Amino acid sequence: MERIVSRRDLAFLLYEWLAVEGLTQRPRYAAHARETFEAALDTAEQIATDLFAPHARKSDLNEPHFDGDKVHLIPEIRQALDAFVGAGLMAAEQGEEFGGMQLPVAVAKALSAYFKGANVATASYALLTIGNANLLLAHGSPAQIDAFVRPQLEGRFFGTMCLSEPQAGSSLSDVATRAEFEQDSPLGPQYRLSGNKMWISAGEHELSENIVHLVLAKIPGPDGKPVPGTKGISLFAVSKYLVSVAGSGSGSRVAVGERNDIALAGLNHKMGYRGTTNCLLNFGEGRFSPGGRTGAIGYLVGQPGRGLAAMFHMMNEARIGVGLGAAMLGYTAYLHALDYARSRPQGRPIGSGGKDPAQPQVPIIQHADVKRMLLAQKAYAEGALALNLYCARLIDEERTAESEAERAEATLLLDILTPVAKSWPSQWCLEGNTLAIQVHGGYGYTRDYPVEQFYRDNRLNSIHEGTHGIQALDLLGRKVVMNDGAAFKLLGSRVDATIRRASQARHPDTQRWAAMLGDRVRRVARTTQRVWAAGDAAKTLANATPYLEAFGHVVLAWIWLEQSLAASAHYQRSEGDFYHGKWQACRYFFLYELPKVDSMLDLVESLDTTTLDMEDAWF
Ligand SMILES: Cc1cc2nc3c(=O)[nH]c(=O)nc-3n(C[C@H](O)[C@H](O)[C@H](O)COP(=O)(O)OP(=O)(O)OC[C@H]3O[C@@H](n4cnc5c(N)ncnc54)[C@H](O)[C@@H]3O)c2cc1C
């Protein structure tokens, strides 16, 4: 039995719902066909199964340790990443000019799904590197691309993102790392950086020849003080070892030189995701003296003061990546729970005369309550994966749609869906993880079964890349109102189009679901309008989190209605079980989950001030 993700489900989502084969009509993907997508999926499945999944537990039990000089990791991490690099997966979505496979993003994310589901901690080293390279491709100079991106896509260098500091987590305007201009250089304006970066994933290790840190820092103003607020933030590429580049473009050769002034102050010891090193990095503390001076050498990426905007390129990608990781931890846990429920005999069915002790015990999957827990997990995990692949498909639209208008629409939809794609799986697939533990009973609470680790790994996802609360403020405070509500209206029109199709369907359940979703969509629109009409941002945003959660459930109901329509369109009797499963999960979502929205929206719409009114001393 598959334990990472259902390949049949991936095929359904990619081909029967998202129609990715149609992308091969576009010039960028013309060299591809379903066969090449399937070959890439085969490779990912094999490497994930053979080399990533087997050490997930071992790297949890043997977390990285720092001997004061080097960080030590179990060797399986490197072997798995070597295979990932060797298969060309670091450049799966890059163009041929970078030696890439030029796969559609939707397919590339389906490949990532395998690695995240198999071993999210080991996968992080590679996926952070891909995100880092993508940012530099969008905002770096050609020389920076040669120096840092090409070696990353070849798997020689790995990458990180360095935003957080001990005093600047959610509030990045308080970043205190300083960058002082030194001189112009072939890699752009060269600065010396000093400051502390906290929580940096993959910040130090010996897995690659070099590590490229993308660092947010402030250039002092004319008064010598950092410019306050986010406008003062710039972005720098700061590598562990300095590099020199000979030649340019695809013929360039990058050599690694002197050690830069970046020191590992210590590793954080985490609840989950333990195989990924998590570091406090000191930049410019004087441990090393590149060029004979203290201070970490960094090269300005993009314009001064535009660092946060550039970093959002990586953050938005990482947010969808976090959502996909949460979805996959929910997915693999669901498959493990399903397997367990089919093989664990316990109890007897309730018949007309009650339970009959003379009968043998039945597998627990036959109990309605266990089926409820499995259905919930299926609805959360498959729904979350579908939403994240939908977002990946939007990135393909953004990059390759024929008209400017279609590309702009994809960007708007991504803007509004990103907080949901990040936070909904982080919340509900974690809930799925608790249900997976519950299905295992007492065994689920032991370390003999992997479900407790999935829970611990997944607990991170509502914290990093913008906490749950920060995503809520982003959605209600910015995304639904920006450009006069343009993204909100566009999303509404897409959902309405699905509702129209569903209300014309033959099956009465589908028509009923269409009506249920229509009610909630109107309700969200009314609530949004009313809370902003109050003219008091503090009151409006006090209940941003219930708003995010209600909004997320409405989006997921839409995604489930879409899936049920695709399932009925492609229904084949020979594969009836698969399609019945989709249908039943959709039914579960509409009857058990969607109604939860009403009480949340009642609260939000009432502009209740319980949380605002609560005083510190009253706790
Ligand atoms: C394992 C791990 C890996 C990480 N990897 C990286 C990485 O690679 N690179 C990187 O730069 N960072 C990384 N981070 C940092 C992560 O992004 C931050 O932890 C996160 O942004 C929250 O910041 P904080 O921990 O300082 O919490 P705080 O910002 O102090 O937040 C604490 C609580 O207060 C709430 N809160 C804060 N401000 C507000 C507000 N204005 N309104 C309402 N509620 C608020 C938050 O929602 C949260 O619940 C990682 C963190 C962890 C734990």
Side-chain angles (χ1 to χ4, degrees):
M1 187 188 156
E2 290 165 307
R3 295 291 198 98
I4 301 172
V5 62
S6 152
R7 184 70 178 263
R8 180 65 189 88
D9 192 24
L10 277 181
F12 168 76
L13 295 173
L14 291 175
Y15 308 124
E16 296 174 31
W17 179 45
L18 296 174
V20 295
E21 272 175 284
L23 289 171
T24 61
Q25 303 300 315
R26 298 184 182 173
R28 182 171 172 85
Y29 305 126
H32 281 290
R34 181 162 173 166
E35 291 69 31
T36 57
F37 298 159
E38 286 295 294
L41 284 164
D42 286 345
T43 305
E45 181 175 1
Q46 192 193 347
I47 297 174
T49 307
D50 296 348
L51 291 165
F52 277 68
H55 71 274
R57 174 56 103 191
K58 186 173 172 187
S59 74
D60 182 65
L61 294 174
N62 300 275
E63 64 179 327
H65 80 96
F66 180 43
D67 65 11
D69 179 32
K70 284 189 167 32
V71 169
H72 300 272
L73 301 173
I74 60 165
E76 289 87 343
I77 295 179
R78 172 136 203 182
Q79 288 156 13
L81 290 166
D82 281 351
F84 184 96
V85 168
L89 292 168
M90 210 63 113
E93 65 185 77
Q94 303 303 339
E96 284 157 7
E97 67 277 21
F98 292 101
M101 296 184 194
Q102 209 155 307
L103 282 168
V105 179
V107 177
K109 295 300 173 212
L111 307 183
S112 298
Y114 267 110
F115 298 102
K116 286 174 183 279
N119 186 334
V120 75
T122 295
S124 293
Y125 293 100
L127 301 172
L128 276 163
T129 302
I130 293 169
N132 180 308
N134 280 339
L135 183 151
L136 285 171
L137 282 170
H139 296 281
S141 65
Q144 290 170 344
I145 290 173
D146 288 344
F148 302 121
V149 175
R150 291 181 189 280
Q152 289 196 85
L153 297 178
E154 289 161 10
R156 286 178 57 199
F157 297 1
F158 283 1
T160 75
M161 55 197 297
C162 298
L163 295 75
S164 308
E165 299 181 4
Q167 80 297 341
S170 300
S171 177
L172 288 172
S173 58
D174 293 298
V175 156
T177 298
R178 282 173 76 93
E180 311 261 358
F181 179 74
E182 188 172 41
Q183 61 189 35
D184 284 320
S185 84
L187 297 185
Q190 178 177 316
Y191 287 73
R192 291 277 178 167
L193 276 76
S194 55
N196 317 108
K197 289 289 174 183
M198 180 58 163
W199 304 118
I200 305 310
S201 297
E204 180 56 13
H205 53 73
E206 304 295 323
L207 293 166
S208 54
E209 266 179 68
N210 203 353
I211 303 174
V212 182
H213 303 287
L214 286 174
V215 183
L216 291 183
K218 288 191 171 178
I219 301 169
D223 59 357
K225 292 188 187 145
V227 178
T230 52
K231 287 197 177 67
I233 299 177
S234 303
L235 178 65
F236 300 87
V238 193
S239 52
K240 177 176 168 183
Y241 295 98
L242 301 181
V243 298
S244 56
V245 187
S248 65
S250 55
S252 58
R253 290 182 313 283
V254 180
V256 165
E258 213 181 337
R259 179 88 192 236
N260 206 351
D261 191 7
I262 307 167
L264 174 64
L267 293 175
N268 294 309
H269 301 288
K270 292 173 290 173
M271 173 180 179
Y273 257 86
R274 289 188 181 163
T276 315
T277 54
N278 190 268
C279 310
L280 174 57
L281 294 179
N282 291 346
F283 289 77
E285 72 163 31
R287 183 91 60 94
F288 305 95
S289 307
R293 270 190 60 196
T294 62
I297 293 179
Y299 306 97
L300 181 69
V301 177
Q303 298 301 311
R306 299 281 305 143
L308 198 58
M311 198 56 153
F312 257 103
H313 191 101
M314 186 167 182
M315 283 156 74
N316 281 332
E317 183 173 329
R319 285 176 176 180
I320 292 174
V322 165
L324 182 62
M328 293 315 301
L329 284 163
Y331 210 124
T332 185
Y334 156 60
L335 294 179
H336 280 80
L338 181 60
D339 191 28
Y340 184 83
R342 283 177 171 151
S343 59
R344 166 73 177 166
Q346 197 66 201
R348 291 166 182 83
I350 302 169
S352 49
K355 294 179 183 179
D356 176 0
Q359 294 300 313
Q361 297 197 84
V362 294
I364 58 171
I365 197 167
Q366 293 189 20
H367 301 306
D369 193 54
V370 174
K371 286 195 269 193
R372 175 190 63 82
M373 292 191 279
L374 291 169
L375 262 172
Q377 289 174 69
K378 181 177 167 72
Y380 300 150
E382 292 182 9
L385 174 61
L387 171 63
N388 279 271
L389 290 182
Y390 180 83
C391 289
R393 182 72 175 74
L394 286 176
I395 300 174
D396 283 318
E397 288 304 299
E398 214 180 13
R399 291 184 186 170
T400 65
E402 268 173 26
S403 71
E404 179 54 40
E406 287 168 295
R407 292 197 292 274
E409 285 198 348
T411 303
L412 264 185
L413 283 172
L414 270 170
D415 273 344
I416 195 163
L417 286 175
T418 298
V420 179
K422 192 270 176 188
S423 54
W424 196 90
S426 302
Q427 179 178 11
W428 292 100
C429 293
L430 183 74
E431 175 63 19
N433 292 151
T434 77
L435 293 173
I437 294 171
Q438 197 71 16
V439 167
H440 283 73
Y443 299 94
Y445 195 65
T446 70
R447 275 173 282 163
D448 300 332
Y449 286 82
V451 282
E452 62 84 28
Q453 185 184 337
F454 298 141
Y455 177 86
R456 285 187 289 104
D457 286 348
N458 216 356
R459 186 62 189 84
L460 173 61
N461 288 322
S462 58
I463 298 173
H464 66 165
E465 283 312 324
T467 60
H468 195 64
I470 296 300
Q471 300 300 328
L473 293 174
D474 183 40
L475 180 69
L476 182 56
R478 213 168 74 80
K479 297 294 176 60
V480 295
V481 285
M482 67 183 188
N483 304 339
D484 203 17
F488 189 59
K489 287 176 200 154
L490 178 62
L491 178 63
S493 71
R494 294 287 170 103
V495 178
D496 281 343
T498 309
I499 291 172
R500 275 197 300 280
R501 276 164 55 222
S503 51
Q504 285 154 15
R506 251 184 280 142
H507 203 293
D509 278 356
T510 316
Q511 293 170 11
R512 195 153 61 97
W513 299 336
M516 288 171 75
L517 181 56
D519 286 348
R520 271 48 176 225
V521 169
R522 283 189 291 277
R523 188 74 214 281
V524 172
R526 194 180 73 205
T527 303
T528 311
Q529 196 270 329
R530 286 205 180 154
V531 296
W532 275 114
D536 179 345
K539 252 177 151 180
T540 300
L541 296 174
N543 289 312
T545 294
Y547 178 86
L548 168 79
E549 293 177 3
F551 192 102
H553 256 46
V554 171
V555 168
L556 264 292
W558 168 53
I559 293 288
W560 268 112
L561 192 55
E562 277 278 320
Q563 288 192 80
S564 79
L565 289 172
S568 51
H570 291 88
Y571 183 89
Q572 287 159 13
R573 209 167 280 281
S574 59
E575 280 193 303
D577 289 344
F578 175 80
Y579 294 108
H580 285 306
K582 282 286 172 197
W583 185 265
Q584 201 69 1
C586 182
R587 180 175 167 192
Y588 173 87
F589 200 87
F590 272 83
L591 298 187
Y592 285 68
E593 295 292 336
L594 188 59
K596 291 177 182 170
V597 161
D598 299 338
S599 59
M600 287 188 270
L601 290 177
D602 285 346
L603 180 83
V604 177
E605 198 174 343
S606 73
L607 287 163
D608 179 76
T609 57
T610 303
T611 55
L612 281 180
D613 298 342
M614 184 67 186
E615 290 189 13
D616 182 347
W618 300 349
F619 282 105

